């Protein structure tokens, strides 16, 4: 919510500042011509370990002054028949703009209560979760109650020499050879084979499935591809499961022109079509063609396409890339390990508002990822309770980690530099194939996103610091 007046802005904002402190969710107050601190009385009531009610009382004089100031502000801008701008009597201004004045007046009282209350309370506020304005009238005292979540108090554990384990980054010869074969496989040609199908071949076929004599077309809803297709390709005994689970494993030995029935049992948790979960189907299959995969020769043309001179050059390139990937995986593993170690070293309650917000983020990311994999919306509805409980548990751990990292960042005086922002912009622009200038404009317009970026950078730098201080042992691969 954003409410603007002529000298006051109250805006809904949240984020983490450069010291790792979270901005208030509501309200942030900016005053162009600040007056003296308001005279208020406060009372702080504990709701939970991290939630408090801040009750702020303004006396009748303070409230009346705000009412008169609001009328005067409108009067300076008012244009009423028979009066020059700004010269209309206050009574007429109040009559003409009574509703608007009333709303603005109440907002100003709430702002004054908030500002004065926070100045006196000296609380480390993370979020304002609710505002109860009570009754605000021009000639009466006012009492406003802010429900706020505060930063939990805890002592940072020793975060130096946290134990981490990494794997050896040197690729084995077999790993290098496997990648070379994978590269050849990606450039393979597929030629018609006049022989029975073998592992690795691709079979062109048609199929139609039934369960207890009922066509799957009548069961699968809009996923008709699971019921009947006139033509598709299936890898024989492929590493990756095809559309129909287990179909590829039943294709060795088939020849073009063959017709056969194959029995398929769908997994109990078959998310793509829940109606087929755990069911046994019979598919009538007609083999149309068999193609074998022919790998390209390790010749000059192949090496040129890989931008190397020979096989040794290709292996060297593959080895370097594998080593880089293993180093990245080690860094990620160390980050995870130091995070887990920190969480185990300290215990404190986490604010509900942060957990609720993070829970929604976890759920949203999970659902988006699984929808891309083809999981239907109905499955999420079916598992709604379990998904929410799992997301909330993960969110609580994330929030705890963020609070610890924020405190470490503050302790170590970690800041976000212009170079950090520039690096983020160019990295994101490269990944999304977009213009850096456009991303800068987007961040300039969207302060919430900018603060989220700053928060992410703070956490990354804190994690890098922890990893740099960690004790490292290398696990050698098993022979």
């Amino acid at each position: 919510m954003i409410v603007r007046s002529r000298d006051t802005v109250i805006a809904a904002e949240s984020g983490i500042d450069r010291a790792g402190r979270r901005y208030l969710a509501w309200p942030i107050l900016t005053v162009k011509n600040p007056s003296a601190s308001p005279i208020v009385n406060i009372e702080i009531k504990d709701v939970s370990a991290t939630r408090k009610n801040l009750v702020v009382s303004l006396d009748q004089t303070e409230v009346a002054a705000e009412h008169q100031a609001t009328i005067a502000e409108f009067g300076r801008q008012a244009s009423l028949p028979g009066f020059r701008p700004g010269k209309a009597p206050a009574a007429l201004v109040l009559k003409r703009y009574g509703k608007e004045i009333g709303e603005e007046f109440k907002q100003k009282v709430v702002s004054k209560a908030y500002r004065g209350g926070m100045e006196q309370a000296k609380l480390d506020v993370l979020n304002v979760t609710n505002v109860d304005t009570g009754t605000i009238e021009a000639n009466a005292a006012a009492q406003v109650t802010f429900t706020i979540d505060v930063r939990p108090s805890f002592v940072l554990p020793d975060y130096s020499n946290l134990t981490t384990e990494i794997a050896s980054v040197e690729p084995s010869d077999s790993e290098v050879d496997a990648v070379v074969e994978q590269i050849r496989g990606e450039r393979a040609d597929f030629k018609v084979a006049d022989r029975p199908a073998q592992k690795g071949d691709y079979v062109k076929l048609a199929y139609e499935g039934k369960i207890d004599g009922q066509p799957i077309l009548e069961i699968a809803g809009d996923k008709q591809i699971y019921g009947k297709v006139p033509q598709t390709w299936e890898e024989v005994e492929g590493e990756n499961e095809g559309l129909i689970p287990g179909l590829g494993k039943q294709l060795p030995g088939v020849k073009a022109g063959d017709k056969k029935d194959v029995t398929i049992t769908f997994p109990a948790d078959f998310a793509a079509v829940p109606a087929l979960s755990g069911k046994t189907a019979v598919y009538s299959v007609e083999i149309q063609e068999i193609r074998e995969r022919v790998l390209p020769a390790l010749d000059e043309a192949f090496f040129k396409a890989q931008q190397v001179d020979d096989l040794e050059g290709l292996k060297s390139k593959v080895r370097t890339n594998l080593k880089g990937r293993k180093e990245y995986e080690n860094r990620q593993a160390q980050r995870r390990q130091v995070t887990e170690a920190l969480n185990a070293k300290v215990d404190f309650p986490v604010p509900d508002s942060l957990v609720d917000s993070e829970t929604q983020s976890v759920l949203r990311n999970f659902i988006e990822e699984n929808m891309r994999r083809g999981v239907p919306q109905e499955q999420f509805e079916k598992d709604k309770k379990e998904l929410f409980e799992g997301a909330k548990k993960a969110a609580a751990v994330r929030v705890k980690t963020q609070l610890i990292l924020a405190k470490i960042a503050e302790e170590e005086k970690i800041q976000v530099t212009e170079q950090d922002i520039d690096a983020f912009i160019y990295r994101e622009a490269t990944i999304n194939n977009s213009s850096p200038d456009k991303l800068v404009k987007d961040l300039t317009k969207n302060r919430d996103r900018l603060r989220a970026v700053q928060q992410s950078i703070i956490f990354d730098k804190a994690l890098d610091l922890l990893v740099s201080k960690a004790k490292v042992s290398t696990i050698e691969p098993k022979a």
Side-chain angles (χ1 to χ4, degrees):
M1 178 180 71
I2 297 179
V3 180
R4 299 185 182 273
S5 71
R6 292 158 185 78
D7 63 354
T8 305
V9 176
I10 296 179
E13 297 182 350
S14 63
I16 297 288
D17 66 13
R18 292 189 175 188
R21 294 184 293 268
R22 181 172 285 273
Y23 287 94
L24 307 183
W26 189 98
I28 297 294
L29 183 64
T30 303
V31 182
K32 293 182 180 178
N33 297 303
S35 58
S37 299
I39 302 171
V40 300
N41 292 314
I42 68 169
E43 181 182 4
I44 300 174
K45 300 178 180 179
D46 290 335
V47 178
S48 69
T50 59
R51 178 162 291 184
K52 300 180 184 299
N53 282 336
L54 174 62
V55 184
V56 182
S57 300
L58 291 169
D59 64 27
Q60 184 271 339
T61 303
E62 290 276 324
V63 176
E66 287 300 324
H67 190 249
Q68 292 301 316
T70 305
I71 296 174
E73 288 173 9
F74 272 82
R76 285 192 291 271
Q77 303 294 327
S79 179
L80 296 177
F83 298 95
R84 285 179 296 167
K87 298 299 182 180
L92 289 180
V93 173
L94 183 58
K95 182 177 181 181
R96 172 63 179 82
Y97 298 103
K99 182 179 179 181
E100 293 84 349
I101 290 172
E103 292 174 352
E104 182 82 359
F105 154 65
K106 290 179 180 178
Q107 189 65 70
K108 287 170 72 67
V109 170
V110 172
S111 299
K112 176 168 283 193
Y114 177 78
R115 185 172 71 252
M118 290 301 159
E119 287 178 358
Q120 290 193 37
K122 308 298 183 185
L123 296 172
D124 191 355
V125 179
L126 293 171
N127 280 321
V128 179
T129 64
N130 187 58
V131 179
D132 183 359
T133 62
T135 301
I136 299 177
E137 296 178 344
N139 294 305
Q143 187 176 86
V144 184
T145 301
F146 301 93
T147 302
I148 54 180
D149 277 355
V150 299
R151 186 183 302 275
S153 177
F154 62 93
V155 177
L156 273 177
D158 180 14
Y159 49 84
S160 298
N161 296 315
L162 297 173
T163 301
T164 63
E165 294 181 340
I166 61 173
S168 171
V169 298
E170 291 301 327
S172 66
D173 291 341
S174 61
E175 288 176 317
V176 173
D177 291 340
V179 174
V180 170
E181 289 304 298
Q182 180 183 345
I183 294 172
R184 293 180 70 195
E186 292 170 353
R187 298 177 62 85
D189 192 11
F190 292 87
K191 297 182 178 180
V192 176
D194 186 19
R195 57 164 173 75
Q198 301 174 0
K199 182 176 181 179
D201 288 345
Y202 276 79
V203 174
K204 183 165 71 172
L205 51 81
Y207 62 71
E208 181 176 4
K210 295 181 180 181
I211 295 177
D212 295 331
Q214 181 183 11
I216 293 178
L217 287 173
E218 299 176 2
I219 302 173
D222 61 346
K223 301 294 181 69
Q224 297 290 289
I225 193 172
Y226 289 92
K228 180 179 180 180
V229 295
Q231 180 179 301
T232 189
W233 289 93
E234 187 77 27
E235 184 179 4
V236 180
E237 296 186 298
E239 293 183 3
N240 298 320
E241 192 76 80
L243 186 72
I244 307 298
L247 178 58
K249 292 181 173 61
Q250 302 195 47
L251 296 179
V254 299
K255 301 185 297 295
D258 283 356
K259 296 181 179 180
K260 63 180 295 188
D261 289 344
V262 297
T263 301
I264 300 293
T265 299
F266 289 92
D269 57 349
F270 192 60
V273 186
L276 299 180
S277 297
K279 301 292 181 61
T280 298
V282 175
Y283 280 88
S284 298
V285 178
E286 180 178 352
I287 309 301
Q288 299 170 351
E289 186 176 274
I290 297 169
R291 289 187 177 245
E292 62 178 322
R293 181 167 56 177
V294 180
L295 298 178
L298 294 172
D299 54 17
E300 182 180 353
F302 177 78
F303 295 134
K304 184 177 180 180
Q306 302 304 315
Q307 300 179 327
V308 296
D309 295 327
D310 51 26
L311 181 57
E312 286 308 309
L314 177 58
K315 287 186 175 182
S316 176
K317 180 179 179 180
V318 167
R319 191 177 298 276
T320 299
N321 291 340
L322 275 175
K323 185 175 181 178
R325 188 178 73 187
K326 287 171 177 281
E327 288 172 344
Y328 172 78
E329 290 172 349
N330 276 343
R331 286 195 298 273
Q332 296 303 105
Q334 284 186 283
R335 284 176 161 225
R336 184 174 61 255
Q337 291 168 33
V338 296
T339 296
E340 292 172 351
L342 271 179
N343 276 311
K345 280 175 170 284
V346 61
D347 188 31
F348 56 86
V350 291
D352 290 339
S353 60
L354 299 189
V355 174
D356 292 343
S357 176
E358 191 67 26
T359 298
Q360 295 306 313
S361 177
V362 172
L363 275 175
R364 182 168 57 252
N365 292 338
F366 177 83
I367 291 173
E368 288 176 355
E369 178 183 344
N370 280 272
M371 287 185 73
R372 285 194 294 270
R373 293 167 50 196
V375 179
Q377 183 68 36
E378 307 83 65
Q379 188 65 33
F380 300 127
E381 290 296 324
K382 179 181 177 182
D383 300 333
K384 182 166 57 177
K385 182 179 179 181
E386 291 79 5
L387 287 176
F388 180 80
E389 290 175 352
K392 188 169 185 178
K393 184 177 180 180
V397 174
R398 286 193 189 184
V399 169
K400 181 181 178 183
T401 300
Q402 290 168 2
L403 290 168
I404 295 173
L405 292 177
K407 194 161 188 174
I408 290 174
E410 188 173 2
E411 181 77 14
E412 297 286 344
K413 297 180 173 56
I414 295 174
Q415 296 184 349
V416 177
T417 66
E418 289 185 13
Q419 290 77 13
D420 294 328
I421 297 294
D422 288 343
F424 167 82
I425 288 171
Y426 284 107
R427 183 172 63 251
E428 287 297 302
T430 301
I431 293 174
N432 298 312
N433 194 27
S434 60
S435 164
D437 290 340
K438 181 180 183 302
L439 184 54
V440 170
K441 290 179 181 178
D442 291 343
L443 289 175
T444 302
K445 294 177 182 177
N446 190 338
R447 291 190 298 173
D448 283 346
R449 187 183 177 196
L450 176 59
R451 285 178 177 145
V453 170
Q454 292 173 326
Q455 170 181 294
S456 177
I457 292 171
I458 286 286
F459 291 163
D460 279 344
K461 295 177 80 168
L463 278 171
D464 286 341
L465 175 69
L466 293 176
V467 170
S468 72
K469 292 175 174 285
K471 183 168 60 179
V472 185
S473 59
T474 302
I475 303 173
E476 295 299 328
K478 295 180 180 179

